[in-house]
Amino acid sequence: MLKIQDKMIISKIKFQIPNSYAQPGRYGIVLLEVVLSLSIFFIAAAIIFGGMSASTKAVQTIRTRMHATDLAVTKISELKMGLIQPVSTDLETFDSQSDRLKDWQWRIDASSAEATGNSTPLTRVTVTIVQTVLDKEYQLTTLMPETYGGKP
């Protein structure tokens, strides 16, 4: 417990917190500190948002390529199952009830591949997938025996 004498000593001590902001010329330095810190913050934010924008664009590009690859593999599977013939075609739209494929078209380019020796005659089949909105073409090529359903 504090005695009366201790209380009197404590009451005589004056606590002064120096007011460094009250010094002449200090207001300009404070303003400079605020402007500098805000500048650093906005530069960092711009770098972060720029990186996010670039990564979002890269994800969209990869998603489009993967979709085109899936469509090309589907057409090659249809060729191997005999649902369509491995002959060259013009651009065609996908038969689908979904709006998801309305901006996509496909084309098949088939040609004889040079066979060496006594090997089975092969057909080089290139499936081209076109994304009409982005005006991009994606191609997937495979070799198929001519027994899969016709010659080019």
Side-chain angles (χ1 to χ4, degrees):
M1 236 159 100
L2 291 174
K3 297 179 183 178
I4 296 177
Q5 291 175 343
D6 294 334
K7 289 182 181 178
M8 290 175 53
I9 293 172
I10 293 175
S11 66
K12 289 183 179 178
I13 298 174
K14 293 185 178 179
F15 293 99
Q16 288 187 346
I17 299 173
N19 191 357
S20 61
Y21 296 112
Q23 297 172 358
R26 182 67 180 159
Y27 294 113
I29 293 174
V30 171
L31 179 62
L32 181 63
E33 290 173 354
V34 169
V35 168
L36 183 62
S37 62
L38 284 175
S39 299
I40 291 170
F41 173 76
F42 284 123
I43 289 171
I47 291 170
I48 290 170
F49 286 124
M52 288 175 55
S53 173
S55 65
T56 302
K57 186 175 181 181
V59 165
Q60 184 61 33
T61 301
I62 290 170
R63 185 176 292 150
T64 303
R65 275 191 196 157
M66 290 302 300
H67 190 61
T69 303
D70 288 344
L71 293 173
V73 168
T74 299
K75 283 299 168 187
I76 288 175
S77 297
E78 289 177 7
L79 285 166
K80 289 183 177 181
M81 288 187 294
L83 299 176
I84 56 177
Q85 296 298 315
V87 293
S88 296
T89 62
D90 292 329
L91 276 177
E92 297 182 29
T93 57
F94 284 91
D95 297 330
S96 174
Q97 302 296 327
S98 171
D99 286 341
R100 188 170 178 217
L101 297 177
K102 70 178 182 174
D103 299 327
W104 295 87
Q105 296 178 334
W106 62 277
R107 174 180 68 236
I108 294 178
D109 297 314
S111 61
S112 293
E114 293 183 24
T116 58
N118 294 333
S119 64
T120 305
L122 298 174
T123 301
R124 177 181 292 115
V125 178
T126 301
V127 176
T128 303
I129 305 294
V130 178
Q131 214 295 337
T132 56
V133 172
L134 300 176
D135 196 28
K136 299 270 185 178
E137 269 191 20
Y138 304 92
Q139 293 183 338
L140 185 61
T141 301
T142 188
L143 294 173
M144 296 177 54
E146 290 184 356
T147 57
Y148 269 114
K151 295 184 179 181

